[in-house]
Amino acid sequence: MRGFFLPERFVVLKTALALRGLVCSALFIATLVQAADVQQRPRIGLVLGGGGARGAAHIGVLEVLEKLHVPVDCIAGTSMGALVAGAYAAGMSPEVMRRELGKADWADMFIDNPDFSEMSYRNKVTQRRFLPGSETGITPDGAKYQSGVVAGQKIKLFFNQLVRSNQGERNIEDLPLPLSIIATDIGTGEKVVFKDGSLTKAMRASMSVPGLLAPVDHQGRKLVDGGLVDNVPIQEVKDRCQADVVIAVNVGSPLLKAENVGSLLTVSAQMINILTEQNVTRSLALLTPKDVLIKPDLEGISAGDFPRHAETADRGRVAAEAMIPELKRLSQPEDKYLAWWKGIEVTSRVSPRIDQVEVVGLSRVNAAAIEQHLHARPGDTIRPSDINRDLLRMYGDGYYESVDYSVLTQRDRNILRVLPIEKSWGPDYLRFALNLESNTTQGATFGLRAAYQKTWLNSLGAEMLTSLQVGNTNAIGINFYQPLDPAQKYFAEVSAGIGQTTLDVFYREKQVAEYKDINAAMGLSVGANVGLLGQVRLGWLERRRDFDVNIGSPDLPSGQVTYGGWRATLDFDQMNAMYFPSAGWASKLAYFDSPDAGYSRLDVDLRGAFSVSNTVINGKVSYAGSPRAELPFYDSASLGGFLNLTAFGRNQVIGDDITYVGLRAEQIIGRLPLGLRGDMRVGLALEGARVGNRYIEGTRNEILDSTAIYVGGETPFGPTYIGAAYSAKGVTNLFLSVGVP
């Protein structure tokens, strides 16, 4: 039996060895074929140059590369090219990129603050009284300023959303496609190439246009736009992946013509363009005949034309299609291209569940002030819209240069890390405001307001504000605000001040006198912040008023009065902008009762706004009067001034029991350049009022009206408007106002 089976086993073994040899040979041959195929395909480096909004043309180029099945082995980008390159390397297809850019509100993205309704009440009060751009830090080393017109808060959050940072920290070294992002060290002028570290930080640094966007702090360096040193980084891809073929896309802005360079702004822009064009010329000289240069026709599209992104992308596509003969030789079979793209594309849309939430980096601000805005809890997943909203609300408190986040994995635990950076120029500030007014009823007035603000005097966030005003009104005041809990829900406040102004007195719509009015006040109150809706408070107010005739008959009465009383207020403001809103509502109620003077006063102010396309409708209803007795002359209600019965001068109508109704329609006719505030509008205001008891005139239940047309908007100097108004009472008023009221 053994002799019978041995030969059979030998045959089986011999057959198995033969099959194994065939398989190994086949694998060896396949490996050789694959290696030969890789060697046959040239290594391709893609270069996406900087150019601001003109960089949207890169998306059109990527669409053509996708259609032709052209893979790339490494990619480098500068400025807007860094944005597109970073999103592409992170697995975002050109189609998705175009869609996401289409959804972005670029005008809003260059305004750091959230909507006015999303800001803390305390910051709203500061914004109403002083120009945001005037904030100057006072430090032991002297005055310090914000390093750019725009801090880039919303821009950074947009980058996070593009590359899906909510699913985990995206580091450049972990990306499947080798990526290089170019920035400039503004201190040394050296080129900085990001090949590792945070992807979104690198993108943000590369887009930091000097003077507009604040530099990014990185490893002790301040980094700005990479276009200053290498706007089309061709050498970078030659070195990064030893590219055999370079596809370079140049979208840089051409130099301005000499006749168009006249202002400080255009001179600065031209200087940057000259520096950029010089390094672009050097880079393009590195191209060889086998490389492909794509230069889209972007005539008429400026570096700030972000709203024209779709048109710009289309022009990039046209330019790339013109190069199809050169690009086709780089095409790959569909299956090989799809296999390449599958290794890059991110298809998952699921965020990990958070095991821990932590706030890091604070030195002055109490962490509870941050946590009150943060809704993410352990067990939650992070949605970009939710985390962006929470971080913008944190930023709206006014204490931070920026607020960012990352999702990290440590020891199989997912950590949401919130990264607030406190203002390097804080916590003490100088603030300023300017107001110039001129109208045909009262002439011209001016005012300059300044304040010294100290914040975070203790761990609960106490603040002290000392203010001074000079001009037609001279005043000095001090305010101390003390939160009573770490989350700053409850507070106590003490304020005192004295001021001198003039009060015009009218009879039958003619000015008959001018009084010097000295007003001193001191108050103590306690209250609560109701989320981001607003504030309620109760307190005691003590006042002294002195009236002396400046201009007019010496027989006119003068005098002084001292009185005090309880005051309760509710102030909710959910308007999306401070002065020229397009959506939202606001309500303000105040009740004052003076046992000394024997009267009470009720003030009600209700406002609302909504928009349809570029037309904004605003409405206002207000009432001021005394529920008990009659308002005394020294505390009378008043009408007059812009959008408060515009045809009449400020405080021209004084009395008791005054009801006002106003409706206005505004057409948005343009927007200010990126980095500045607001839009410009032309408006029509229809206003009416019933004055139950008009002092001086002695009339009862008088009906007044006003119709006004104006052009205005919110500017870097505050609300600015010019217009004309008319009333059936025969009153007309031409008016101009610039600055904070």
Side-chain angles (χ1 to χ4, degrees):
M1 293 293 293
R2 290 181 62 185
F4 178 77
F5 282 107
L6 279 174
E8 185 178 86
R9 291 179 179 177
F10 176 76
V11 171
V12 171
L13 179 59
K14 185 177 180 180
T15 304
L17 290 172
L19 289 173
R20 181 179 176 184
L22 288 172
V23 171
C24 290
S25 298
L27 290 174
F28 179 71
I29 293 171
T31 302
L32 289 177
V33 170
Q34 186 176 10
D37 181 65
V38 170
Q39 287 188 355
Q40 287 175 2
R41 181 176 80 78
R43 288 183 295 273
I44 302 171
L46 178 62
V47 179
L48 304 181
R54 294 159 65 94
H58 295 314
I59 299 174
V61 173
L62 291 177
E63 289 171 343
V64 175
L65 296 182
E66 181 182 59
K67 180 180 178 181
L68 296 177
H69 299 152
V70 177
V72 299
D73 296 280
C74 63
I75 184 170
T78 299
S79 193
M80 188 66 173
L83 167 63
V84 177
Y88 192 59
M92 177 172 285
S93 69
E95 176 187 1
V96 175
M97 220 180 294
R98 184 188 278 259
R99 184 172 68 242
E100 291 301 314
L101 287 181
K103 292 190 296 186
D105 184 347
W106 287 96
D108 178 67
M109 202 176 300
F110 282 83
I111 298 175
D112 293 307
N113 280 325
D115 283 352
F116 194 66
S117 60
E118 297 286 277
M119 296 169 62
S120 70
Y121 182 85
R122 186 70 179 175
N123 200 16
K124 286 178 183 176
V125 172
T126 304
Q127 298 276 329
R128 288 188 188 119
R129 294 190 63 195
F130 305 98
L131 293 173
S134 71
E135 181 180 277
T136 303
I138 301 300
T139 71
D141 299 325
K144 294 184 69 175
Y145 307 92
Q146 182 174 320
S147 50
V149 176
V150 181
Q153 175 64 32
K154 290 179 183 175
I155 294 173
K156 181 59 166 65
L157 295 181
F158 175 66
F159 291 171
N160 290 350
Q161 187 168 335
L162 269 184
V163 303
R164 301 189 179 104
S165 293
N166 60 298
Q167 297 178 11
E169 182 68 14
R170 307 305 300 273
N171 290 315
I172 295 174
E173 67 270 23
D174 298 329
L175 299 176
L177 181 60
L179 169 69
S180 299
I181 288 179
I182 313 301
T184 303
D185 184 332
I186 195 63
T188 65
E190 295 175 339
K191 179 168 73 173
V192 177
V193 182
F194 283 91
K195 297 181 182 179
D196 55 22
S198 169
L199 171 60
T200 53
K201 184 176 185 178
M203 294 160 64
R204 167 68 180 83
S206 188
M207 287 192 67
S208 299
V209 179
L212 175 62
L213 277 169
V216 170
D217 289 324
H218 177 68
Q219 298 178 352
R221 294 174 141 186
K222 289 188 178 295
L223 304 183
V224 298
D225 196 325
L228 296 176
V229 290
D230 200 354
N231 202 46
V232 186
I234 292 170
Q235 186 63 52
E236 182 57 35
V237 296
K238 286 179 175 287
D239 296 338
R240 185 71 192 271
C241 62
Q242 291 76 51
D244 300 310
V245 177
V246 174
I247 302 173
V249 187
N250 181 15
V251 295
S253 301
L255 296 178
L256 298 172
K257 295 180 180 180
E259 57 268 25
N260 295 329
V261 180
S263 67
L264 179 61
L265 184 62
T266 55
V267 169
S268 300
Q270 187 76 331
M271 290 174 61
I272 293 175
N273 286 343
I274 290 172
L275 290 173
T276 301
E277 285 303 303
Q278 286 177 346
N279 71 64
V280 168
T281 300
R282 291 193 297 269
S283 289
L284 296 183
L286 300 173
L287 294 175
T288 66
K290 62 182 178 180
D291 297 327
V292 180
L293 174 62
I294 301 174
K295 185 170 177 57
D297 178 8
L298 300 174
E299 180 70 28
I301 297 178
S302 73
D305 280 334
F306 287 97
R308 298 173 66 182
H309 60 86
E311 176 191 350
T312 308
D314 290 341
R315 294 203 198 182
R317 185 185 185 98
V318 170
E321 287 173 342
M323 303 299 292
I324 283 179
E326 288 80 1
L327 294 172
K328 253 190 173 179
R329 60 186 171 86
L330 305 174
S331 296
Q332 293 296 303
E334 183 176 7
D335 57 338
K336 292 183 179 180
Y337 176 82
L338 293 178
W340 169 82
W341 178 244
K342 186 176 181 181
I344 297 172
E345 185 178 24
V346 176
T347 56
S348 172
R349 297 183 178 274
V350 180
S351 299
R353 291 196 176 276
I354 300 301
D355 299 301
Q356 181 181 343
V357 179
E358 61 182 27
V359 178
V360 300
L362 294 175
S363 60
R364 297 185 296 265
V365 178
N366 193 315
I370 282 280
E371 292 164 356
Q372 67 172 322
H373 299 300
L374 188 62
H375 292 85
R377 298 291 182 268
D380 293 345
T381 57
I382 303 301
R383 297 179 57 189
S385 58
D386 293 339
I387 191 69
N388 288 355
R389 177 202 60 208
D390 292 351
L391 266 61
L392 282 174
R393 287 176 172 178
M394 297 172 195
Y395 188 85
D397 285 344
Y399 305 131
Y400 315 103
E401 286 188 43
S402 65
V403 186
D404 205 354
Y405 76 95
S406 63
V407 177
L408 308 174
T409 301
Q410 296 179 352
R411 299 194 184 102
D412 297 325
R413 289 173 58 81
N414 298 313
I415 301 172
L416 171 63
R417 181 170 291 170
V418 181
L419 306 164
I421 298 178
E422 296 169 348
K423 289 178 177 177
S424 59
W425 58 93
D428 301 336
Y429 312 97
L430 281 178
R431 301 183 182 277
F432 301 94
L434 172 71
N435 178 253
L436 302 172
E437 288 192 31
S438 179
N439 62 67
T440 53
T441 302
Q442 294 168 300
T445 62
F446 81 96
L448 177 64
R449 189 181 306 139
Y452 179 51
Q453 181 186 26
K454 296 179 68 68
T455 68
W456 288 96
L457 296 171
N458 54 42
S459 62
L460 295 180
E463 297 184 9
M464 181 175 288
L465 183 77
T466 304
S467 60
L468 175 69
Q469 181 169 335
V470 295
N472 290 80
T473 297
N474 299 307
I476 187 171
I478 187 169
N479 172 274
F480 181 77
Y481 176 82
Q482 176 63 66
L484 301 178
D485 62 303
Q488 300 186 339
K489 181 175 182 180
Y490 303 102
F491 65 89
E493 187 172 23
V494 180
S495 59
I498 185 170
Q500 175 184 302
T501 188
T502 57
L503 177 65
D504 297 329
V505 178
F506 292 81
Y507 179 68
R508 294 182 179 176
E509 316 315 337
K510 302 290 185 182
Q511 184 176 349
V512 295
E514 178 188 89
Y515 274 81
K516 179 175 70 175
D517 176 14
I518 299 176
N519 180 6
M522 182 172 66
L524 170 66
S525 61
V526 294
N529 293 303
V530 185
L532 294 174
L533 284 176
Q535 200 176 80
V536 294
R537 66 170 64 202
L538 174 67
W540 179 268
L541 178 65
E542 191 76 20
R543 301 183 70 179
R544 176 189 172 102
R545 303 289 296 274
D546 289 274
F547 297 93
D548 290 308
V549 178
N550 253 357
I551 300 174
S553 170
D555 297 331
L556 290 172
S558 297
Q560 62 177 229
V561 61
T562 300
Y563 62 102
W566 294 101
R567 180 175 170 85
T569 62
L570 178 151
D571 188 358
F572 288 176
D573 193 336
Q574 289 296 287
M575 290 292 192
N576 67 339
M578 191 165 25
Y579 299 112
F580 288 86
S582 58
W585 60 272
S587 61
K588 186 170 184 177
L589 289 82
Y591 184 77
F592 175 77
D593 188 276
S594 175
D596 300 337
Y599 79 98
S600 62
R601 172 170 176 154
L602 175 65
D603 289 270
V604 180
D605 188 301
L606 306 175
R607 292 177 290 136
F610 69 92
S611 59
V612 179
S613 186
N614 282 332
T615 301
V616 182
I617 306 298
N618 280 269
K620 174 183 174 181
V621 176
S622 67
Y623 172 81
S626 178
R628 182 169 67 89
E630 186 177 90
L631 291 179
F633 179 84
Y634 54 80
D635 195 19
S636 56
S638 65
L639 291 172
F642 183 55
L643 301 182
N644 191 39
L645 220 58
T646 311
F648 296 80
R650 191 178 299 276
N651 300 322
Q652 182 171 340
V653 179
I654 58 174
D656 184 21
D657 189 24
I658 296 179
T659 303
Y660 166 91
V661 178
L663 181 68
R664 69 183 194 269
E666 297 172 341
Q667 184 72 22
I668 298 174
I669 56 175
R671 297 186 183 276
L672 293 175
L674 294 179
L676 303 181
R677 297 176 62 84
D679 48 46
M680 303 303 295
R681 306 180 181 185
V682 58
L684 170 67
L686 304 176
E687 305 168 275
R690 184 192 70 84
V691 184
N693 181 10
R694 186 175 180 184
Y695 299 164
I696 309 298
E697 305 282 338
T699 58
R700 295 277 180 174
N701 295 319
E702 185 177 8
I703 303 299
L704 302 174
D705 70 284
S706 171
T707 300
I709 56 173
Y710 57 91
V711 176
E714 192 170 348
T715 74
F717 303 102
T720 299
Y721 47 84
I722 183 171
Y726 171 78
S727 170
K729 292 283 291 184
V731 176
T732 60
N733 196 11
L734 304 179
F735 54 89
L736 166 68
S737 178
V738 178
V740 179

